[in-house]
Amino acid sequence: MGEKAKEKEIEKSELNRQLVLKKIVDRRKELGLTQWDISEQLNLTYSGYFKVETGKTKLDVYRLFEILDTLNITPKKFFEDFEQ
């Protein structure tokens, strides 16, 4: 893979990461929940959850699925508009 192709893949990954975080925030707000509400349901500190939503802490798959469950949305529905 050439250097430009690598850069394009990295850029695409970053855009997808940002989209995931935005969709989490949008869904939380749609449900009328605060970061505090979600942090309590996930047994995280408020600061810990804030860092997840803002991308300061990496979001692993396990935590993502916990968040989606808390937001009452299936992974299939959550990712339906993502490009491959």
Side-chain angles (χ1 to χ4, degrees):
M1 183 181 289
E3 200 60 36
K4 287 196 179 216
K6 268 187 186 178
E7 287 176 17
K8 190 170 183 167
E9 282 298 314
I10 291 170
E11 184 177 308
K12 183 177 176 181
S13 293
E14 178 59 23
L15 290 173
N16 281 332
R17 185 186 71 83
Q18 290 175 11
L19 181 56
V20 165
L21 297 176
K22 181 182 182 325
K23 286 186 73 160
I24 288 171
V25 171
D26 290 349
R27 177 66 177 174
R28 176 179 57 76
K29 289 179 179 179
E30 178 183 312
L31 295 174
L33 300 170
T34 65
Q35 289 177 334
W36 183 265
D37 296 329
I38 299 295
S39 68
E40 285 191 327
Q41 291 182 40
L42 296 172
N43 201 26
L44 290 173
T45 64
Y46 170 79
S47 175
Y49 182 73
F50 172 82
K51 289 177 183 177
V52 168
E53 265 196 14
T54 57
K56 291 177 176 43
T57 298
K58 287 186 180 179
L59 180 59
D60 64 30
V61 173
Y62 178 78
R63 180 70 69 198
L64 174 61
F65 283 10
E66 280 186 323
I67 291 169
L68 296 183
D69 189 49
T70 301
L71 296 174
N72 196 29
I73 188 168
T74 66
K76 181 177 182 178
K77 179 74 175 163
F78 184 81
F79 287 108
E80 72 184 1
D81 60 345
F82 275 74
E83 294 181 23
Q84 293 189 22

